[in-house]
Amino acid sequence: MATSPPQQVDHHSLPPPVAEEPESLLSSLVFDLSQHVQMAMENMLKMINEIDQNSLGIMEEVEKCKESALERKKSLEEEREKFQKAAYTVLDMLNSRE
């Protein structure tokens, strides 16, 4: 029987050891997770900007309502004063008859 010469193994052409597969998988998982986190943060930033714009609109509307309420209060106070003066005038007229 003839013995065959030992074959030389090229270690560079072999697939990577099994230990590198989990690292590659973990690296891919971290990358995917970071992409999802980045997308979520971008969406949150958009929502924050939208909330800011809406809150500015609401604040402006609240200020308008405050101003309107103050104007209405002033108008009602003026009307009350007129009615009070008219009532006192009527009372004075009634008292002067007696």
Side-chain angles (χ1 to χ4, degrees), residues 6-89:
Q7 293 180 350
Q8 292 204 355
V9 177
D10 183 11
H11 292 287
H12 297 289
S13 65
L14 291 176
V18 177
E20 288 186 23
E21 286 181 22
E23 289 176 9
S24 175
L25 182 62
L26 184 59
S27 175
S28 176
L29 181 63
V30 168
F31 178 77
D32 287 345
L33 182 60
S34 69
Q35 292 294 320
H36 287 291
V37 168
Q38 183 177 357
M39 287 173 41
M41 289 178 69
E42 288 173 0
N43 288 337
M44 283 191 284
L45 183 61
K46 288 177 187 175
M47 289 191 301
I48 288 170
N49 288 334
E50 188 175 324
I51 289 169
D52 284 344
Q53 289 175 353
N54 289 338
S55 67
L56 285 176
I58 291 169
M59 295 299 285
E60 289 173 358
E61 195 65 31
V62 166
E63 283 301 315
K64 287 179 186 176
C65 289
K66 281 182 183 179
E67 290 172 8
S68 175
L70 288 174
E71 288 175 13
R72 180 72 176 141
K73 179 183 175 184
K74 182 180 176 183
S75 172
L76 289 172
E77 286 175 351
E78 289 173 357
E79 279 188 53
R80 186 189 75 209
E81 287 177 13
K82 288 177 186 177
F83 280 111
Q84 280 180 342
K85 286 180 182 178
Y88 286 132
T89 303

